[in-house]
Amino acid sequence: MKDRQNIHGSWASRWVFIMAATGSAVGLGNIWKFPYIAGENGGGAFVLMYLVFILAVGVPIMMAEVLVGRRGRQSPINSMREVAIESDQSPKWALVGWVGALAGFLIFSFYSVVAGWVLAYVASMANGEFLDIGSEQAGKAFNELLANPQALLIWHSVFVVLVMVVLLGGVNKGLERATKIMMPALFVLLLLLLGYSMTSGSFGEGLDFLFHFDPSELSWNAVLVALGHSFFTLSLGMGSIMAYGSYMPKKASIGGTVLTIAALDTIVALVAGMAIFPIVFANGLDPGAGPGLMFITLPVAFGHMPGGQVFGFLFFVLVALAAWTSAISLMEPGVAWMVERFGLKRGPVCIMLGLVVWLMGIAALSSFNFGSDVSLFGMNIFDFLDFITANIFLPLGGLLIACFTGWVLTQRITRDELAVSNPAYYLAWSVAIRYIAPVAVAAIFIFNLIDKLG
């Protein structure tokens, strides 16, 4: 089949795609969530289980998304439709693309609020506001930020503008140019923080917390946490990777490329943990602080360390970069579809979608202040958006993509796009995408709903 041409452009090289997709995958969860859930659930045993699930679930589904995106050469919605038609199947499979695009759109509306908190902390660190403060003061400062709708609105607005400016430039002048700057900067900052952490005096204690191998701590719940994080960490089920895959060069190996992305994503998460926990232990703070680790525990730690103001500032810049690269990929599927569907320029599309998510973000940030009394199914707006995307849209999207590529697409298409010379590799992917991945994602779907609603 003659390769379709994408009207939006294409990545200059395989490595640009790797950096862009890694930027999509590396987000807030890598910097704070993975390290503390690893430490709380068996350390090295949890990490080992997580890596197994990355290979058995995350990588096969990511390969499937890239495969469909590159074959269709359009937005996820239109790529799903075109590839389904090529396989003599119903064009209604485009609904899977809709699930992903809508999920990304909804996630961005509250993700931008959290990213706004990060930007606020970049400014606070630069101003030295956390020097020599205690946990109680840090907690009070965070709560005061949440209770201040004007401050949240400003930082939420700044983040939305930052994302839309990149999207406005298109694939090459926007996404690619931003990727070439932000991803190297992210890696450099991470290594600087790791070097700083190694001099904190508690590096060994931090490593022990993250990598101690204790299978007895690996409960059934910990296995489910590892399974869930292996799926969510790679930005699967929301169309981002499919959209980025549509810009991927035809000659690039999908399997090798996806393995590289998964490896980089995991390395970032582990190095983040190696940088964070020695700092936490050096200051006698709680490593299991969960979400509060980033906005309460770490500011206190940096505020009591030599050079802490500088490195605390660099840490929050790092987190802001991770949030920025992820958020760009959340909005790209919707932008691409509107350009294709209505024949509009990217500029008007970015302004329209930017305004909509900006307004939705205001609704989300109101959950912490003037709209705290608003309830949807017993949850505030922020928690409701988080719940339906993480527990319904994303697992559903991942499950449908696995079923589509494993059972609906013809082997002619999957073999042609994967282009693996060793039949054993194709067989391994086929077994994983047909049997292992659907069962695993269905388990995430069911158990998450039971946990949240039970």
Side-chain angles (χ1 to χ4, degrees), residues 357-372:
V357 291
W358 179 74
L359 289 170
M360 291 179 65
I362 293 175
L365 68 83
S366 75
S367 300
F368 305 100
N369 36 74
F370 65 87
S372 58

Side-chain angles (χ1 to χ4, degrees), residues 6 8 65-66 68-70 72-84 91-102 237-247 329-338 340 401 404:
N6 196 311
H8 307 288
E65 287 207 31
V66 175
V68 173
R70 191 168 73 173
R73 292 294 186 195
Q74 298 179 73
S75 64
I77 296 166
N78 288 333
S79 285
M80 287 294 299
R81 187 191 70 235
E82 292 299 322
V83 176
K92 291 181 180 180
W93 277 101
L95 289 171
V96 179
W98 276 107
V99 170
L102 183 58
M238 62 184 76
S240 301
I241 297 301
M242 194 181 295
Y244 279 11
S246 72
Y247 312 139
S329 70
L330 291 173
M331 293 300 293
E332 178 61 17
V335 171
W337 178 79
M338 285 196 70
E340 293 163 6
I401 287 165
F404 177 72

Side-chain angles (χ1 to χ4, degrees), residues 149-174:
Q150 290 83 10
L152 294 185
L153 176 60
I154 290 170
W155 292 116
H156 158 62
S157 302
V158 169
F159 188 76
V160 171
V161 170
L162 287 173
V163 171
M164 290 305 161
V165 165
V166 173
L167 289 169
L168 195 65
V171 175
N172 302 114
K173 293 181 180 179

